[in-house]
Amino acid sequence: MKALWRCFASTSKKCQPRTDDAVTEAITEAAEPSDARLSDDDGGTRLAITLMTRKPHRFDWWLRYHKSLGVCHVFIHVEDTPELLELLDSDEFRGFVTVTSGEDASPDNYYTLQQRQEAQVRRSLKLCRVQRIPWLLHIDDDEILHLDVPFSAIAHHAPEGLCAGPRFSLCRPRAAGSTPTTRS
C-alpha cells in the first residue's frame, strides 16, 4: 500500500511556488484518467475529504482536482473567510461540498486548532454514515491526493476503523452506533 503526496502550492524550499499556468498544467496532467483514479462503480471505494480552511489559495482548483479524481464529497469548515462561501455555494460545487463556517474566538489559534479539526472530522464521519460513504480522508488545503495504485487496492486491505499516515488520516467509519477511534 503506497500513497504519494505532491506539493500543490507551497513556499517551502522543497517545493517552490508555481505560476498559475504551471498549476493549471500540473492539475490537468495529474487529473488525466489512470488506473489509480477513484471509482464510484464500487460503493465500497467511495471517498470523501474533510478539512478546515482559512484563506486558501486557489481553492477552486483544489476542489476541481479532487473532483476529477473521483472524490465523491468534500466536508469543509470555513474559518475567517466569508468570501469563500459564495464560491462553495456556486452551481459548480453545490452538492459536492457540505459547508460549515465559524470564527475562531480563542486568543491563541494554535492551541485550539487540533480540537476544532477533531470536531470537524467527527461531524464528517457522522455525515459519511448518513450518506453511505465508506471512506473519509482528512487533509489540508495545501495538500493534494495522489495515489500510485488504485484506491480499491488500498481500501480492500484496510481494516475497519482509522488508518493513519504521516500527514493524513484515512478513516473507514464504523457501523452506526459504534464510536470511532482516533489516533494521532
Side-chain angles (χ1 to χ4, degrees):
M1 171 169 54
K2 287 170 107 180
L4 174 67
W5 294 91
R6 288 187 180 172
C7 180
F8 179 61
S10 173
T11 55
S12 71
K13 290 190 178 209
K14 289 182 181 177
C15 188
Q16 295 300 316
R18 299 179 179 177
T19 65
D20 287 349
D21 290 341
V23 171
T24 301
E25 183 180 322
I27 290 172
T28 302
E29 177 185 309
E32 289 177 359
S34 74
D35 62 347
R37 186 181 184 281
L38 300 172
S39 170
D40 282 334
D41 299 338
D42 174 11
T45 59
R46 291 180 63 221
L47 173 71
I49 290 176
T50 187
L51 73 145
M52 286 179 41
T53 189
R54 172 182 280 134
K55 302 189 186 318
H57 178 70
R58 300 296 304 265
F59 197 56
D60 54 334
W61 285 106
W62 189 93
L63 287 168
R64 285 185 196 108
Y65 171 81
H66 288 95
K67 191 174 187 178
S68 75
L69 288 180
V71 168
C72 68
H73 201 82
V74 180
F75 300 97
I76 306 166
H77 182 73
V78 178
E79 290 188 345
D80 305 324
T81 319
E83 63 274 13
L84 187 59
L85 299 176
E86 186 177 334
L87 169 74
L88 299 174
D89 193 37
S90 68
D91 290 341
E92 180 177 7
F93 299 118
R94 192 178 307 121
F96 178 61
V97 299
T98 297
V99 180
T100 56
S101 64
E103 306 297 319
D104 175 34
S106 67
D108 191 345
N109 177 50
Y110 178 80
Y111 292 104
T112 61
L113 178 62
Q114 289 180 347
Q115 293 168 341
R116 294 191 323 276
Q117 285 179 329
E118 184 174 346
Q120 170 64 12
V121 170
R122 289 184 184 281
R123 274 192 303 268
S124 301
L125 282 168
K126 288 178 184 176
L127 293 170
C128 280
R129 287 186 193 104
V130 170
Q131 296 180 28
R132 298 183 188 273
I133 299 171
W135 291 97
L136 178 66
L137 176 68
H138 177 212
I139 60 175
D140 294 330
D141 58 25
D142 63 345
E143 302 165 334
I144 61 172
L145 174 65
H146 175 81
L147 302 171
D148 60 354
V149 297
F151 181 70
S152 59
I154 296 169
H156 177 72
H157 295 290
E160 185 175 323
L162 182 71
C163 304
R167 293 190 60 188
F168 64 94
S169 297
L170 181 62
C171 306
R172 175 182 257 178
R174 296 182 185 273
S178 64
T179 306
T181 305
T182 7
R183 293 186 218 159
S184 303

